[in-house]
Amino acid sequence: MQKILLYFILSFLSFSISQAQKPVTPSSSEVFESIQKLNFLGSVLYIAAHPDDENTRLISYMSNHVKARTAYLSLTRGDGGQNLIGPEIRELLGVIRTQELLAARGVDGGEQLFTRANDFGYSKDPEETLAIWNKEAVLSDVVLAIRKFKPDIVINRFDHRTPGTTHGHHTSSAMLSFEAFDLANDKSAFPDLLKQASVWQPKRLFFNTNSWFYRSQEDFDKANKNNKLSFDIGVYYPLKGMSNNELASLASSQHLCQGFGRLSQRGTQKEYLEFLKGDALTNNDNIFEGIDTSWNRVKGGKAIGDILYAVENNFNFKNPSTHIPQLMEAYKLLQNIEDEHWKTQKTKELKSIIEMCAGLYLEASAEAQTSTPNQSIKVNIEALNRSTQSVIIETIKQGDEQTISKNLELKNNDSEKFETTYFISNNEAYTSPYWLNKKGTLGMYKVENRELIGLPETPKNVVIDFNLKINNVPITISKPVVYRYSKPDKGELYRPFEIIPEASAKISEKVIIFSNDKQRDINVIVRAGRDNLEGFVEINHPKDWNVSPEKQKVNIVHKGEEQMVTFTIIPPKNQSEGYINPVVHVDDKAYTKELIEINYEHIPFQTVLLPSESKIVRLDIKKKGENIAYIAGAGDVVPESLQQIGYNVLTLNPDAINAETLSRFDAVVVGIRAYNVVENLEFKQQILFDFVANGGNMVVQYNTSRGLNINNMAPYPLKLSSDRVTDENAEVRFLNPTHPILNYPNKITLKDFEGWTQERGLYFPNSWDAKYTPILSMNDKNESPKDGSLLVAKHGKGYYIYTGLSFFREFPEGVSGAYRLFANMLSIGKEDLKPASKLNN
C-alpha cells in the first residue's frame, strides 16, 4: 500500500512540477506548515559546486523538520556534465539542470541560489579550478549570497582541507565558503556589494561529513566525533504522509538528466555535521543554539508573534479563512518593523498564507504563448474568493504605467472573469536565461546587471499586480502572466508567457564539414515572432569562403510560422575553418539570435536565445567504408557527425541486432555510456563480437566504471577505471606511431590534437589483455601517464576498438583532428574494401 502511495505522490509531484505555472491550491495541512515556517526566524545556507551535489536529506530536514528557511547555493549550473535524456550539452544542459534544481527545491522545501561560475568540466585540482573560474569574482558571489540571504548557519557539502581527493570544483566550493564566512561581515571586503546588501556574520560553519569522506564505513565509525553534531534525518511527517528521507529521495529524483531517479528510503538515518568555526556549541543537539529564532528576534516582532503563534496553536484545519482577520492584523504590524531583511522575507511568506487561507484564485492568462516588444496582448483575468472574508479588487496594475480601476467585490465562490489589454513596451527584455545574454569566458558567465547575480532564473517581467483590500486592509498580490491552453489528449496545460524577437534564424547543422572543395547548399530557417514579417537574410562568413546569393527575401504572414531559404556555401581549396552567422534584417533592425526551445515534461518550458552561428570546416579527410551502424547510448551527435563526412549511418535498436542486419555494415559504433544505460545490450554482445570476427569494426565509446549492465564489454579482458585527462591541451604521445590507426587513410599528427575542448577523455581502462595495442599516452599535470585512451585489438578478421577520448564533445565543436582520427578508426583494415551500396534508411 505504501508503494502505491509513494508512486501516487511522485506522480503528483512530477505533474505539479511540469505544470509549474499553474496556480497553486494547497491543502489545509500545507497552510498550517507554512504558518509553522512563518513563525521560525532562522536560516540555513547549504553550499556545494553542482546540481546533484546537494544533500536533499539535510535540506529537507532543515526546511520541513526544523522549519528553517533553507537554501542551496550551487556554485555552477552543471553545464559541463552529460545529459541522459536528450542532446543538450553545455549552456543548454545548464538551463535544464537549473530547472531540475528548482524542481528539487519545490519538493524538499528549499530555495535555490547560484554564482556566475561556469562548470567547465572535470577538474582534479582546486588551484586549476579557481584560476579558470576567477577566484575573486566567484568569492564575491558567495559573499553576496551570504549577505543577501543572511544565514545563521552555513553548511559545506565538501571538505576544504582535502584538495586533490575529489573534483576540484567540490573542494573549491568549500574553500570559498570557508573564506567567505568571515569576509561577509567585513565592510572592506567587496565594498561595492554593500549597494545590494549589508554585511552579515553567520553564527556557525559546518562540514556535512559522512563515511564517503573516509576510506570506509569502519574508519568513519572509529573517527572522533566530539566536534560532530548528529541527528536522525529519517523523521516521519504525519501531515505529509511520508518521512523526510522519502521526501528527499523524491527531490533527488528530479535530476533526471543525470540519471538520478531512485528508490525512496525510509527509517532512521544518521546525518553528521562537523563544526568548523563560529560560535562553538555547548552540546551537540541544536545547531541554532544561542540564536533567537522566535519573533522576539526582530524589534517590534513580539506583537506580531503573539498574533501568529495563536494562529498556529489554534489552527482551524476545516476552515483556515477564519484566521484572516488575525493574519491581516499581523500583516499591518509587519509593514512597520525596521528590519528590512525580515520585513521583506516574512511579508512574502505572510502574503502567500493569506492568499491560501482565503482560497484566493488569481490568474492572468495571455491569449498566446509569446509576444514581441511594442505589441499589445489580450489577457484573461480570473479572480475567485473561496471564503466569506471581504475581498475587493481595487485596481490592477499592468507594467509600470497601466493601472485600471476595478472596485470589484469578490463574493464567496463567485468567479469573476474579465479581459484586459497588456502593452509590451518597446524596451521590454526578451525572455531568456540572463546568464546567457552576453558571451562569457571558459570559467565565468558575464552578467552585466548585478541585481541578477545569484538568482536561479530570469525574473518574470510581464506581471499583473492585483491591488486588493482584504478586510479593509490594502495588500498587493502579483501574478506573472501565463499561457493556459488545453490538448484533447492531455487536458489543461500551462506554459510561461514569453517575450521573443520579431525574427530569429537558425542553421540546423551547428558544424558543417566539407571533406572536399565542392560547394554545398545550406538552409537557413527564419521564424516570425509576429504577423506580416517582411525583410531579408544575409550570411556573414570568413573571407576565404563564398556565399551565394548575397541575400534572400523573407515574407512570413503568420506569427510562429517559419520560412526556409537556401544559400550555397563555397569552400576554399585548402583546409580552413570559421563561422557563418545568419542575420535577419527587418526595417532598420538586425536580428542575429537563434530561438531554442527546451521542452521536457518534468520542468517548465524554456526559451533560450543564443547567437545563431555554425562552424564551417574545410577538412582534409579520407575514409574507407560507407555504412555505419550506430547503437545509441546516453546521447551524443556521433551519427550526425559521421554523416557530415560522408558516411551512411543507421541507428539500430538493440532488439534489431542480428547477424543478417549487421552484414550490411562496415562498422558498428556504440554510443557513450551505452553499457550503462541500455540494459538489453548484453544479450546482443556475442552477435557483435561475431560481426567483428567476420571482418567488421566495432568502436565502443566511453562507459563509466560504475553501473555497467554487462560483464563482457569486450572480446578480451579490459578493466575500466576513473582515469581521465581533464586538460584539453595535455600533451599527447604516440605509443605506436606506425600503427595503421595513426596512418591510414589519414596521417595523424600532433596537430590533430590541437583545439580540443573541455577534456581529452574520461574513464580510461587501466589494465587490459596483451591482445590490445595502446595507441596514445597522455596525462594531466603531476600525474602518471595514462595509456588507455585508445585501445585496438584484432579479433578474427576485424578490429575491436575501445576509446575514452571525448569525441562526443569534440564533434559538436568541429574539431578537425577528432574527425580524422575517428575516420581512421572506422577505416582500419578496409584498405581493399570496394564501395558499398547506400543504406536504405
Side-chain angles (χ1 to χ4, degrees), residues 123-168:
S123 174
K124 299 174 181 177
D125 189 315
E127 182 179 350
E128 176 200 48
T129 297
L130 295 174
I132 295 175
W133 271 357
N134 182 343
K135 177 190 173 183
E136 286 303 298
V138 182
L139 179 60
S140 76
D141 289 356
V142 178
V143 168
L144 178 62
I146 293 174
R147 289 179 180 177
K148 291 179 73 173
F149 191 77
K150 300 193 183 308
D152 300 302
I153 307 298
V154 177
I155 301 174
N156 289 347
R157 182 56 172 141
F158 298 103
D159 192 345
H160 67 286
R161 300 160 294 191
T162 56
T165 60
T166 182
H167 197 320

Side-chain angles (χ1 to χ4, degrees), residues 659-675:
E660 181 180 356
T661 299
L662 292 181
S663 67
R664 302 163 55 197
F665 298 97
D666 302 307
V668 172
V669 177
V670 182
I672 62 172
R673 297 178 68 173
Y675 293 112

Side-chain angles (χ1 to χ4, degrees), residues 507 522-524 537-541 547 549-551 565-569 579-583:
I507 301 172
I522 62 110
N523 297 320
V524 176
V537 187
E538 63 179 354
I539 292 184
N540 293 334
H541 57 86
V547 174
E550 289 187 4
K551 60 182 66 173
V565 295
T566 302
F567 291 87
T568 299
I569 308 295
Y579 290 90
I580 55 174
N581 312 84
V583 182

Side-chain angles (χ1 to χ4, degrees), residues 191 336 366:
N336 295 322

Side-chain angles (χ1 to χ4, degrees), residues 22-36:
K22 188 172 185 176
V24 176
T25 53
S27 65
S28 292
S29 61
E30 291 172 302
V31 178
F32 177 68
E33 288 181 295
S34 296
I35 293 172
Q36 288 181 309

